[in-house]
Every structure is written in C-alpha cells, then in structure tokens.
Amino acid sequence: NNGLRLNSNIGIVIPREVAQNQILYYHGLVGVIEKCSVLGYNLTSMVVGEHSALPEPLRNHEVSALLFWNDLPEEFAHFAAGEKMPFVLLNPQGKHSECDAVSFSDYGTMFKLLRHLYENGYRKFHYLLENSGISFNCKTSEAFRNFSKQYQIAASILSPEGNDREAILPRLEKLAEKSDGRT
C-alpha cells in the first residue's frame, strides 16, 4: 500500500538481543512470515547488533521494503529513505514519529485465549512471564490479572528474577506436579 514494489522480497531487521532473548519474537515472526506469504511476499530476516553494517540483502538491493523490530537504527532508516523504500517499525520501544509503526498490544488476544480455556473447563492458570519490562508483556499480564479477577479463578504469574529461566524451573516443576486436567 505504501510504495514501490521492485520484487517480492521484504527484509525484516531484528536486533540481536530480541532474537536471542524475547519469546515474543518467535511467535510474532511466524505470524509476519505467514501474512507475507499470503500476500505474495518472501521475507528475509537480518539479525543485527548495535553497530552492525548494512546487511548484504540491503546492499545488494535484494529487498524492496523493510520491517524493523523494536528499534529503527538510524543508518538503516537513512538507507531506506534514500532508496525510497517503504519501511514500518514493528513493536516500537521508543518514539519514532518519522515512520509508520505497528504496536503489539495483546491484551485482547490474551483475554480471549483465557476465556476460551475457561469455557473448556480450565480453572487454574499459571503464566510464565519472561520479561516484565516489555510493553507487550505488561499488556498480557494486565489481561491475565483482569481475567483472574473477573472470573475469580486461581491464577499465578511466574516471573524469573533478572530473566534467569533456570531459577524459575523448580517452582514451575512443583506447579506441574500439582496440576490436573483443569490447569
């Protein structure tokens, strides 16, 4: 909708820390790939570090549009603008008024999922929250808390200190031992 289409390849620029640490990335990326495929586009992912040079697919003009995940590196934005390449920022973590942005707020999806489970007999819920500082996780946690209050169900949010997954495993294992067909 926003511009030139020289080929059917879209590039997605993902910060290395997102690709390594954020569980949202994996589910979100699958959704983006599926949507691009339905629209007839291929997706080329490019994982970049803080001071990464422009990836080869960009330098070689192998993509005709760009998606950025969480952040909009200035040199990449300048490149896209110079090439008159449309670009969109997914899940912005700061203010980037100079570009189109799509923010992830899965409050509604989380609430709908919990209601579906509740309607199918589930009455105990445990939510493993990997990083409470991400706005997406804040929204899903809020939906989880509001759902448990509204439906008066047993619910707990498990959040490892400092994102240390290993530290939370003993608690998770105990909860799993006590779980039943309604958990």
Side-chain angles (χ1 to χ4, degrees):
N1 288 342
N2 288 341
L4 187 63
R5 182 173 174 177
L6 297 176
N7 60 45
S8 61
N9 296 322
I10 296 176
I12 183 165
V13 178
I14 303 139
R16 182 165 283 113
E17 65 272 7
V18 170
Q20 292 173 344
N21 299 320
Q22 292 185 18
I23 198 163
L24 165 64
Y25 160 69
Y26 300 103
H27 301 292
L29 184 62
V30 168
V32 171
I33 290 170
E34 287 174 355
K35 182 58 84 173
C36 285
S37 177
V38 166
L39 296 172
Y41 289 96
N42 301 312
L43 192 69
T44 301
S45 63
M46 296 167 270
V47 177
V48 298
E50 189 176 340
H51 300 290
S52 292
L54 288 174
E56 202 170 309
L58 285 181
R59 290 193 315 264
N60 295 339
H61 298 91
E62 296 171 17
V63 298
S64 60
L66 280 173
L67 302 174
F68 294 95
W69 195 289
N70 278 22
D71 194 22
L72 181 63
E74 195 173 313
E75 62 275 17
F76 287 73
H78 287 304
F79 176 84
E83 296 290 321
K84 296 184 177 20
M85 182 182 293
F87 58 93
V88 175
L89 177 59
L90 302 175
N91 198 33
Q93 297 301 297
K95 294 202 182 250
H96 297 280
S97 57
E98 70 277 6
C99 75
D100 292 330
V102 176
S103 186
F104 301 156
S105 169
D106 245 355
Y107 180 99
T109 302
M110 174 64 108
F111 205 92
K112 186 176 176 182
L113 168 65
L114 294 168
R115 190 172 53 235
H116 170 79
L117 293 170
Y118 183 84
E119 289 167 357
N120 285 283
Y122 292 90
R123 295 297 181 264
K124 294 184 224 166
F125 295 83
H126 304 292
Y127 179 35
L128 180 58
L129 178 63
E130 196 161 330
N131 184 337
S132 60
I134 298 172
S135 61
F136 171 85
N137 288 343
C138 291
K139 293 287 185 186
T140 55
S141 297
E142 182 184 1
F144 188 84
R145 284 190 297 276
N146 289 345
F147 178 85
S148 65
K149 189 184 303 179
Q150 181 177 336
Y151 286 82
Q152 299 178 343
I153 49 102
S156 64
I157 296 177
L158 306 170
S159 185
E161 294 291 323
N163 291 335
D164 182 6
R165 293 180 196 170
E166 298 298 318
I168 201 76
L169 289 178
R171 276 182 62 202
L172 194 57
E173 286 172 1
K174 285 181 184 176
L175 288 169
E177 288 171 7
K178 296 178 184 176
S179 68
D180 56 28
R182 296 163 42 102
T183 305

